[in-house]
Amino acid sequence: MKKYFIVLYLCTIFAISGTAQENEYYFFRQSNILRPFLSEVRSTIVKSELASINKLDNNYYISGYNDRPFIEVHLGTDIPLLYMVSDRRKIKFSTSWYFGDVLLIDMFEENTSPIINNDYFF
């Protein structure tokens, strides 16, 4: 893993130094390129939804889950690393760390934890 990071770092430095006169570079600055849609399953938008579910995994032990309300919570963030702008070539380039979590919660669960499913993405 350390080797890949060093190679990526060196490639970035060489790319930046080769075209440094033509481009503008920003580190740790939000670019607003390809912002996620609200309806995306794995987006970095923080949101909460209250809904009923049509179908759950067969491992869920309650059979009447169609009549129960569920809460789906999306938590995520996008940490910007490098943002490059070239006005002459009309190019924008952005890299960032993208990670989050999706929780499915049954708030009326009485026997066990109310969290049914927990998905992490990186």
Side-chain angles (χ1 to χ4, degrees):
M1 181 70 181
K2 192 174 183 181
K3 292 178 188 178
Y4 294 118
F5 180 73
I6 291 171
V7 170
L8 179 65
Y9 178 75
L10 290 175
C11 290
T12 304
I13 294 298
F14 289 135
I16 289 172
S17 64
T19 59
Q21 301 297 325
E22 303 170 2
N23 303 332
E24 298 176 31
Y25 295 93
Y26 305 99
F27 293 96
F28 307 109
R29 179 177 174 189
Q30 194 70 22
S31 66
N32 293 324
I33 296 174
L34 297 174
R35 300 304 303 161
F37 291 109
L38 185 63
S39 62
E40 287 185 27
V41 175
R42 287 191 164 81
S43 71
T44 58
I45 297 174
V46 177
K47 64 181 176 179
S48 178
E49 301 174 1
L50 178 66
S52 61
I53 295 181
N54 295 336
K55 185 176 180 184
L56 272 176
D57 191 334
N58 292 333
N59 296 326
Y60 195 55
Y61 70 97
I62 296 176
S63 60
Y65 59 81
N66 293 344
D67 301 326
R68 302 170 72 125
F70 288 86
I71 299 173
E72 188 174 69
V73 180
H74 294 246
L75 304 171
T77 188
D78 189 14
I79 299 174
L81 296 176
L82 173 67
Y83 176 42
M84 186 270 299
V85 178
S86 175
D87 291 331
R88 189 175 70 108
R89 294 186 214 165
K90 296 183 173 71
I91 295 173
K92 293 182 180 179
F93 176 77
S94 176
T95 60
S96 62
W97 285 324
Y98 175 80
F99 55 94
D101 181 36
V102 179
L103 295 167
L104 183 61
I105 302 170
D106 183 1
M107 291 305 296
F108 296 105
E109 172 60 46
E110 297 175 354
N111 297 327
T112 65
S113 172
I115 297 174
I116 297 173
N117 194 4
N118 190 7
D119 293 331
Y120 295 100
F121 56 92
F122 302 95

mmCIF file of all heavy atoms in Angstrom, residues 34-72:
data_model
loop_
_atom_site.group_PDB
_atom_site.id
_atom_site.type_symbol
_atom_site.label_atom_id
_atom_site.label_comp_id
_atom_site.label_asym_id
_atom_site.label_seq_id
_atom_site.Cartn_x
_atom_site.Cartn_y
_atom_site.Cartn_z
ATOM 1 N N LEU A 34 -19.009 17.279 -10.519
ATOM 2 C CA LEU A 34 -19.752 16.025 -10.365
ATOM 3 C C LEU A 34 -20.308 15.853 -8.954
ATOM 4 O O LEU A 34 -20.101 14.839 -8.303
ATOM 5 C CB LEU A 34 -18.875 14.823 -10.738
ATOM 6 C CG LEU A 34 -18.395 14.769 -12.173
ATOM 7 C CD1 LEU A 34 -17.429 13.608 -12.370
ATOM 8 C CD2 LEU A 34 -19.565 14.631 -13.123
ATOM 9 N N ARG A 35 -21.019 16.828 -8.482
ATOM 10 C CA ARG A 35 -21.664 16.728 -7.182
ATOM 11 C C ARG A 35 -22.715 15.621 -7.249
ATOM 12 O O ARG A 35 -23.370 15.424 -8.266
ATOM 13 C CB ARG A 35 -22.325 18.048 -6.781
ATOM 14 C CG ARG A 35 -21.359 19.216 -6.691
ATOM 15 C CD ARG A 35 -20.199 19.002 -5.771
ATOM 16 N NE ARG A 35 -20.637 18.689 -4.433
ATOM 17 C CZ ARG A 35 -19.892 18.115 -3.513
ATOM 18 N NH1 ARG A 35 -18.678 17.761 -3.791
ATOM 19 N NH2 ARG A 35 -20.354 17.877 -2.332
ATOM 20 N N PRO A 36 -22.913 14.841 -6.175
ATOM 21 C CA PRO A 36 -23.843 13.706 -6.223
ATOM 22 C C PRO A 36 -25.307 14.163 -6.275
ATOM 23 O O PRO A 36 -25.658 15.231 -5.782
ATOM 24 C CB PRO A 36 -23.551 12.966 -4.914
ATOM 25 C CG PRO A 36 -22.983 13.998 -4.014
ATOM 26 C CD PRO A 36 -22.236 14.953 -4.885
ATOM 27 N N PHE A 37 -26.135 13.324 -6.894
ATOM 28 C CA PHE A 37 -27.568 13.555 -6.919
ATOM 29 C C PHE A 37 -28.186 13.098 -5.597
ATOM 30 O O PHE A 37 -27.655 12.213 -4.916
ATOM 31 C CB PHE A 37 -28.225 12.798 -8.074
ATOM 32 C CG PHE A 37 -27.863 13.330 -9.423
ATOM 33 C CD1 PHE A 37 -27.040 12.601 -10.260
ATOM 34 C CD2 PHE A 37 -28.341 14.554 -9.862
ATOM 35 C CE1 PHE A 37 -26.698 13.075 -11.514
ATOM 36 C CE2 PHE A 37 -28.012 15.041 -11.107
ATOM 37 C CZ PHE A 37 -27.184 14.301 -11.932
ATOM 38 N N LEU A 38 -29.286 13.666 -5.232
ATOM 39 C CA LEU A 38 -29.959 13.332 -3.989
ATOM 40 C C LEU A 38 -30.434 11.879 -3.982
ATOM 41 O O LEU A 38 -30.448 11.224 -2.944
ATOM 42 C CB LEU A 38 -31.144 14.276 -3.767
ATOM 43 C CG LEU A 38 -31.897 14.150 -2.463
ATOM 44 C CD1 LEU A 38 -30.977 14.476 -1.297
ATOM 45 C CD2 LEU A 38 -33.098 15.061 -2.443
ATOM 46 N N SER A 39 -30.804 11.341 -5.137
ATOM 47 C CA SER A 39 -31.364 9.989 -5.207
ATOM 48 C C SER A 39 -30.313 8.889 -5.357
ATOM 49 O O SER A 39 -30.677 7.726 -5.426
ATOM 50 C CB SER A 39 -32.334 9.909 -6.381
ATOM 51 O OG SER A 39 -31.654 10.158 -7.586
ATOM 52 N N GLU A 40 -29.033 9.211 -5.407
ATOM 53 C CA GLU A 40 -28.015 8.182 -5.540
ATOM 54 C C GLU A 40 -27.967 7.315 -4.287
ATOM 55 O O GLU A 40 -28.112 7.796 -3.176
ATOM 56 C CB GLU A 40 -26.634 8.804 -5.774
ATOM 57 C CG GLU A 40 -26.469 9.367 -7.154
ATOM 58 C CD GLU A 40 -25.058 9.875 -7.389
ATOM 59 O OE1 GLU A 40 -24.120 9.374 -6.757
ATOM 60 O OE2 GLU A 40 -24.925 10.779 -8.213
ATOM 61 N N VAL A 41 -27.740 6.018 -4.478
ATOM 62 C CA VAL A 41 -27.727 5.076 -3.374
ATOM 63 C C VAL A 41 -26.527 5.326 -2.468
ATOM 64 O O VAL A 41 -26.633 5.334 -1.251
ATOM 65 C CB VAL A 41 -27.724 3.624 -3.898
ATOM 66 C CG1 VAL A 41 -27.592 2.650 -2.759
ATOM 67 C CG2 VAL A 41 -28.970 3.353 -4.707
ATOM 68 N N ARG A 42 -25.370 5.539 -3.046
ATOM 69 C CA ARG A 42 -24.153 5.788 -2.266
ATOM 70 C C ARG A 42 -23.634 7.185 -2.571
ATOM 71 O O ARG A 42 -22.655 7.357 -3.275
ATOM 72 C CB ARG A 42 -23.095 4.746 -2.578
ATOM 73 C CG ARG A 42 -23.431 3.419 -1.983
ATOM 74 C CD ARG A 42 -22.267 2.462 -2.067
ATOM 75 N NE ARG A 42 -22.444 1.328 -1.193
ATOM 76 C CZ ARG A 42 -23.170 0.281 -1.452
ATOM 77 N NH1 ARG A 42 -23.850 0.237 -2.558
ATOM 78 N NH2 ARG A 42 -23.254 -0.716 -0.601
ATOM 79 N N SER A 43 -24.291 8.181 -2.044
ATOM 80 C CA SER A 43 -23.836 9.551 -2.230
ATOM 81 C C SER A 43 -23.307 10.089 -0.905
ATOM 82 O O SER A 43 -23.549 9.521 0.150
ATOM 83 C CB SER A 43 -24.975 10.430 -2.738
ATOM 84 O OG SER A 43 -25.910 10.642 -1.716
ATOM 85 N N THR A 44 -22.584 11.192 -0.980
ATOM 86 C CA THR A 44 -22.035 11.798 0.233
ATOM 87 C C THR A 44 -22.985 12.816 0.849
ATOM 88 O O THR A 44 -22.620 13.485 1.807
ATOM 89 C CB THR A 44 -20.697 12.477 -0.084
ATOM 90 O OG1 THR A 44 -20.913 13.456 -1.113
ATOM 91 C CG2 THR A 44 -19.670 11.466 -0.531
ATOM 92 N N ILE A 45 -24.174 12.915 0.339
ATOM 93 C CA ILE A 45 -25.163 13.837 0.899
ATOM 94 C C ILE A 45 -25.716 13.248 2.192
ATOM 95 O O ILE A 45 -26.100 12.083 2.241
ATOM 96 C CB ILE A 45 -26.312 14.085 -0.111
ATOM 97 C CG1 ILE A 45 -25.771 14.753 -1.369
ATOM 98 C CG2 ILE A 45 -27.409 14.923 0.507
ATOM 99 C CD1 ILE A 45 -26.789 14.907 -2.465
ATOM 100 N N VAL A 46 -25.743 14.056 3.238
ATOM 101 C CA VAL A 46 -26.295 13.609 4.516
ATOM 102 C C VAL A 46 -27.810 13.788 4.455
ATOM 103 O O VAL A 46 -28.303 14.895 4.247
ATOM 104 C CB VAL A 46 -25.685 14.411 5.684
ATOM 105 C CG1 VAL A 46 -26.309 14.006 6.995
ATOM 106 C CG2 VAL A 46 -24.180 14.218 5.733
ATOM 107 N N LYS A 47 -28.530 12.663 4.609
ATOM 108 C CA LYS A 47 -29.989 12.724 4.518
ATOM 109 C C LYS A 47 -30.594 11.601 5.333
ATOM 110 O O LYS A 47 -29.928 10.643 5.717
ATOM 111 C CB LYS A 47 -30.455 12.641 3.066
ATOM 112 C CG LYS A 47 -30.125 11.323 2.398
ATOM 113 C CD LYS A 47 -30.575 11.291 0.948
ATOM 114 C CE LYS A 47 -30.150 10.000 0.289
ATOM 115 N NZ LYS A 47 -30.572 9.908 -1.091
ATOM 116 N N SER A 48 -31.884 11.721 5.611
ATOM 117 C CA SER A 48 -32.637 10.708 6.340
ATOM 118 C C SER A 48 -33.993 10.551 5.662
ATOM 119 O O SER A 48 -34.624 11.542 5.287
ATOM 120 C CB SER A 48 -32.810 11.141 7.796
ATOM 121 O OG SER A 48 -33.559 10.197 8.491
ATOM 122 N N GLU A 49 -34.431 9.304 5.520
ATOM 123 C CA GLU A 49 -35.698 9.010 4.854
ATOM 124 C C GLU A 49 -36.555 8.127 5.745
ATOM 125 O O GLU A 49 -36.049 7.202 6.381
ATOM 126 C CB GLU A 49 -35.450 8.294 3.526
ATOM 127 C CG GLU A 49 -34.619 9.065 2.549
ATOM 128 C CD GLU A 49 -34.267 8.262 1.308
ATOM 129 O OE1 GLU A 49 -34.693 7.094 1.208
ATOM 130 O OE2 GLU A 49 -33.580 8.804 0.449
ATOM 131 N N LEU A 50 -37.833 8.389 5.771
ATOM 132 C CA LEU A 50 -38.807 7.569 6.501
ATOM 133 C C LEU A 50 -39.710 6.920 5.457
ATOM 134 O O LEU A 50 -40.351 7.611 4.671
ATOM 135 C CB LEU A 50 -39.629 8.426 7.462
ATOM 136 C CG LEU A 50 -40.706 7.712 8.249
ATOM 137 C CD1 LEU A 50 -40.085 6.714 9.211
ATOM 138 C CD2 LEU A 50 -41.552 8.710 9.002
ATOM 139 N N ALA A 51 -39.726 5.580 5.433
ATOM 140 C CA ALA A 51 -40.483 4.886 4.392
ATOM 141 C C ALA A 51 -40.836 3.482 4.836
ATOM 142 O O ALA A 51 -40.357 2.984 5.850
ATOM 143 C CB ALA A 51 -39.665 4.830 3.113
ATOM 144 N N SER A 52 -41.693 2.834 4.048
ATOM 145 C CA SER A 52 -41.961 1.410 4.248
ATOM 146 C C SER A 52 -41.162 0.649 3.197
ATOM 147 O O SER A 52 -40.836 1.164 2.138
ATOM 148 C CB SER A 52 -43.447 1.116 4.117
ATOM 149 O OG SER A 52 -43.896 1.448 2.824
ATOM 150 N N ILE A 53 -40.841 -0.606 3.498
ATOM 151 C CA ILE A 53 -39.986 -1.402 2.632
ATOM 152 C C ILE A 53 -40.788 -2.531 2.013
ATOM 153 O O ILE A 53 -41.553 -3.221 2.699
ATOM 154 C CB ILE A 53 -38.796 -1.950 3.438
ATOM 155 C CG1 ILE A 53 -37.941 -0.772 3.907
ATOM 156 C CG2 ILE A 53 -37.979 -2.924 2.621
ATOM 157 C CD1 ILE A 53 -36.734 -1.150 4.693
ATOM 158 N N ASN A 54 -40.619 -2.719 0.704
ATOM 159 C CA ASN A 54 -41.339 -3.773 -0.005
ATOM 160 C C ASN A 54 -40.763 -5.152 0.287
ATOM 161 O O ASN A 54 -41.497 -6.109 0.467
ATOM 162 C CB ASN A 54 -41.286 -3.531 -1.516
ATOM 163 C CG ASN A 54 -42.004 -2.278 -1.915
ATOM 164 O OD1 ASN A 54 -42.892 -1.812 -1.211
ATOM 165 N ND2 ASN A 54 -41.605 -1.714 -3.031
ATOM 166 N N LYS A 55 -39.437 -5.265 0.300
ATOM 167 C CA LYS A 55 -38.820 -6.565 0.462
ATOM 168 C C LYS A 55 -37.529 -6.423 1.264
ATOM 169 O O LYS A 55 -36.708 -5.561 0.996
ATOM 170 C CB LYS A 55 -38.509 -7.172 -0.906
ATOM 171 C CG LYS A 55 -37.963 -8.578 -0.829
ATOM 172 C CD LYS A 55 -37.764 -9.165 -2.207
ATOM 173 C CE LYS A 55 -37.208 -10.561 -2.078
ATOM 174 N NZ LYS A 55 -36.909 -11.153 -3.353
ATOM 175 N N LEU A 56 -37.362 -7.283 2.239
ATOM 176 C CA LEU A 56 -36.133 -7.361 3.028
ATOM 177 C C LEU A 56 -35.473 -8.706 2.797
ATOM 178 O O LEU A 56 -36.067 -9.614 2.221
ATOM 179 C CB LEU A 56 -36.437 -7.205 4.523
ATOM 180 C CG LEU A 56 -36.470 -5.791 5.079
ATOM 181 C CD1 LEU A 56 -36.880 -5.804 6.540
ATOM 182 C CD2 LEU A 56 -35.134 -5.110 4.947
ATOM 183 N N ASP A 57 -34.272 -8.819 3.298
ATOM 184 C CA ASP A 57 -33.561 -10.095 3.230
ATOM 185 C C ASP A 57 -34.363 -11.154 3.981
ATOM 186 O O ASP A 57 -35.044 -10.867 4.969
ATOM 187 C CB ASP A 57 -32.180 -9.923 3.876
ATOM 188 C CG ASP A 57 -31.287 -11.101 3.616
ATOM 189 O OD1 ASP A 57 -31.792 -12.204 3.394
ATOM 190 O OD2 ASP A 57 -30.070 -10.916 3.642
ATOM 191 N N ASN A 58 -34.290 -12.395 3.549
ATOM 192 C CA ASN A 58 -35.032 -13.481 4.195
ATOM 193 C C ASN A 58 -34.539 -13.778 5.599
ATOM 194 O O ASN A 58 -35.171 -14.519 6.340
ATOM 195 C CB ASN A 58 -34.948 -14.754 3.346
ATOM 196 C CG ASN A 58 -35.693 -14.604 2.042
ATOM 197 O OD1 ASN A 58 -36.640 -13.827 1.949
ATOM 198 N ND2 ASN A 58 -35.262 -15.329 1.027
ATOM 199 N N ASN A 59 -33.405 -13.224 5.992
ATOM 200 C CA ASN A 59 -32.881 -13.452 7.333
ATOM 201 C C ASN A 59 -33.579 -12.617 8.402
ATOM 202 O O ASN A 59 -33.396 -12.865 9.583
ATOM 203 C CB ASN A 59 -31.375 -13.155 7.368
ATOM 204 C CG ASN A 59 -30.608 -14.107 6.494
ATOM 205 O OD1 ASN A 59 -30.976 -15.267 6.359
ATOM 206 N ND2 ASN A 59 -29.551 -13.617 5.892
ATOM 207 N N TYR A 60 -34.360 -11.610 8.013
ATOM 208 C CA TYR A 60 -35.045 -10.780 9.004
ATOM 209 C C TYR A 60 -36.201 -11.582 9.596
ATOM 210 O O TYR A 60 -37.039 -12.102 8.879
ATOM 211 C CB TYR A 60 -35.545 -9.488 8.358
ATOM 212 C CG TYR A 60 -35.947 -8.431 9.355
ATOM 213 C CD1 TYR A 60 -35.062 -8.015 10.335
ATOM 214 C CD2 TYR A 60 -37.202 -7.844 9.316
ATOM 215 C CE1 TYR A 60 -35.414 -7.050 11.251
ATOM 216 C CE2 TYR A 60 -37.560 -6.874 10.220
ATOM 217 C CZ TYR A 60 -36.663 -6.479 11.188
ATOM 218 O OH TYR A 60 -37.015 -5.516 12.096
ATOM 219 N N TYR A 61 -36.240 -11.686 10.903
ATOM 220 C CA TYR A 61 -37.140 -12.635 11.564
ATOM 221 C C TYR A 61 -38.579 -12.136 11.696
ATOM 222 O O TYR A 61 -39.474 -12.925 11.989
ATOM 223 C CB TYR A 61 -36.591 -12.987 12.955
ATOM 224 C CG TYR A 61 -36.666 -11.874 13.956
ATOM 225 C CD1 TYR A 61 -37.715 -11.814 14.865
ATOM 226 C CD2 TYR A 61 -35.701 -10.881 14.005
ATOM 227 C CE1 TYR A 61 -37.794 -10.791 15.789
ATOM 228 C CE2 TYR A 61 -35.771 -9.878 14.918
ATOM 229 C CZ TYR A 61 -36.811 -9.818 15.811
ATOM 230 O OH TYR A 61 -36.889 -8.813 16.713
ATOM 231 N N ILE A 62 -38.872 -10.878 11.487
ATOM 232 C CA ILE A 62 -40.239 -10.371 11.598
ATOM 233 C C ILE A 62 -40.906 -10.479 10.229
ATOM 234 O O ILE A 62 -40.397 -9.971 9.235
ATOM 235 C CB ILE A 62 -40.247 -8.922 12.099
ATOM 236 C CG1 ILE A 62 -39.669 -8.878 13.509
ATOM 237 C CG2 ILE A 62 -41.641 -8.341 12.077
ATOM 238 C CD1 ILE A 62 -39.538 -7.489 14.067
ATOM 239 N N SER A 63 -42.050 -11.134 10.179
ATOM 240 C CA SER A 63 -42.704 -11.358 8.891
ATOM 241 C C SER A 63 -43.562 -10.177 8.454
ATOM 242 O O SER A 63 -43.747 -9.960 7.271
ATOM 243 C CB SER A 63 -43.564 -12.625 8.955
ATOM 244 O OG SER A 63 -44.551 -12.482 9.958
ATOM 245 N N GLY A 64 -44.100 -9.382 9.353
ATOM 246 C CA GLY A 64 -44.982 -8.278 8.973
ATOM 247 C C GLY A 64 -44.267 -6.952 8.844
ATOM 248 O O GLY A 64 -44.763 -5.928 9.300
ATOM 249 N N TYR A 65 -43.111 -6.940 8.218
ATOM 250 C CA TYR A 65 -42.341 -5.702 8.123
ATOM 251 C C TYR A 65 -42.903 -4.734 7.093
ATOM 252 O O TYR A 65 -42.528 -3.572 7.070
ATOM 253 C CB TYR A 65 -40.864 -5.999 7.809
ATOM 254 C CG TYR A 65 -40.629 -6.759 6.539
ATOM 255 C CD1 TYR A 65 -40.624 -6.116 5.313
ATOM 256 C CD2 TYR A 65 -40.405 -8.119 6.563
ATOM 257 C CE1 TYR A 65 -40.415 -6.810 4.158
ATOM 258 C CE2 TYR A 65 -40.187 -8.824 5.412
ATOM 259 C CZ TYR A 65 -40.190 -8.164 4.202
ATOM 260 O OH TYR A 65 -39.974 -8.860 3.063
ATOM 261 N N ASN A 66 -43.832 -5.169 6.232
ATOM 262 C CA ASN A 66 -44.419 -4.268 5.240
ATOM 263 C C ASN A 66 -45.246 -3.158 5.875
ATOM 264 O O ASN A 66 -45.421 -2.100 5.282
ATOM 265 C CB ASN A 66 -45.300 -5.047 4.264
ATOM 266 C CG ASN A 66 -44.498 -5.975 3.395
ATOM 267 O OD1 ASN A 66 -43.289 -5.847 3.308
ATOM 268 N ND2 ASN A 66 -45.164 -6.911 2.765
ATOM 269 N N ASP A 67 -45.771 -3.390 7.075
ATOM 270 C CA ASP A 67 -46.625 -2.406 7.729
ATOM 271 C C ASP A 67 -45.863 -1.513 8.710
ATOM 272 O O ASP A 67 -46.473 -0.697 9.382
ATOM 273 C CB ASP A 67 -47.750 -3.124 8.477
ATOM 274 C CG ASP A 67 -48.599 -3.970 7.541
ATOM 275 O OD1 ASP A 67 -48.782 -3.556 6.383
ATOM 276 O OD2 ASP A 67 -49.058 -5.044 7.967
ATOM 277 N N ARG A 68 -44.565 -1.684 8.813
ATOM 278 C CA ARG A 68 -43.766 -0.931 9.783
ATOM 279 C C ARG A 68 -42.986 0.172 9.077
ATOM 280 O O ARG A 68 -42.460 -0.029 7.997
ATOM 281 C CB ARG A 68 -42.769 -1.855 10.473
ATOM 282 C CG ARG A 68 -43.420 -3.000 11.177
ATOM 283 C CD ARG A 68 -42.374 -3.973 11.604
ATOM 284 N NE ARG A 68 -41.595 -3.444 12.712
ATOM 285 C CZ ARG A 68 -41.434 -4.053 13.868
ATOM 286 N NH1 ARG A 68 -41.965 -5.237 14.048
ATOM 287 N NH2 ARG A 68 -40.747 -3.513 14.824
ATOM 288 N N PRO A 69 -42.837 1.334 9.708
ATOM 289 C CA PRO A 69 -41.983 2.374 9.121
ATOM 290 C C PRO A 69 -40.502 2.104 9.431
ATOM 291 O O PRO A 69 -40.154 1.659 10.515
ATOM 292 C CB PRO A 69 -42.457 3.651 9.820
ATOM 293 C CG PRO A 69 -43.012 3.191 11.112
ATOM 294 C CD PRO A 69 -43.574 1.823 10.871
ATOM 295 N N PHE A 70 -39.661 2.368 8.471
ATOM 296 C CA PHE A 70 -38.215 2.221 8.607
ATOM 297 C C PHE A 70 -37.553 3.570 8.348
ATOM 298 O O PHE A 70 -38.077 4.393 7.598
ATOM 299 C CB PHE A 70 -37.668 1.196 7.607
ATOM 300 C CG PHE A 70 -38.021 -0.211 7.939
ATOM 301 C CD1 PHE A 70 -39.221 -0.763 7.520
ATOM 302 C CD2 PHE A 70 -37.158 -0.991 8.675
ATOM 303 C CE1 PHE A 70 -39.561 -2.066 7.826
ATOM 304 C CE2 PHE A 70 -37.482 -2.300 8.984
ATOM 305 C CZ PHE A 70 -38.686 -2.839 8.560
ATOM 306 N N ILE A 71 -36.420 3.765 8.954
ATOM 307 C CA ILE A 71 -35.637 4.976 8.729
ATOM 308 C C ILE A 71 -34.339 4.576 8.050
ATOM 309 O O ILE A 71 -33.647 3.671 8.503
ATOM 310 C CB ILE A 71 -35.340 5.698 10.060
ATOM 311 C CG1 ILE A 71 -36.637 6.122 10.736
ATOM 312 C CG2 ILE A 71 -34.431 6.897 9.827
ATOM 313 C CD1 ILE A 71 -36.439 6.679 12.127
ATOM 314 N N GLU A 72 -34.026 5.263 6.955
ATOM 315 C CA GLU A 72 -32.762 5.045 6.273
ATOM 316 C C GLU A 72 -31.943 6.323 6.386
ATOM 317 O O GLU A 72 -32.360 7.388 5.938
ATOM 318 C CB GLU A 72 -32.988 4.689 4.806
ATOM 319 C CG GLU A 72 -31.720 4.278 4.106
ATOM 320 C CD GLU A 72 -31.987 3.785 2.699
ATOM 321 O OE1 GLU A 72 -32.353 4.605 1.857
ATOM 322 O OE2 GLU A 72 -31.810 2.583 2.461
#
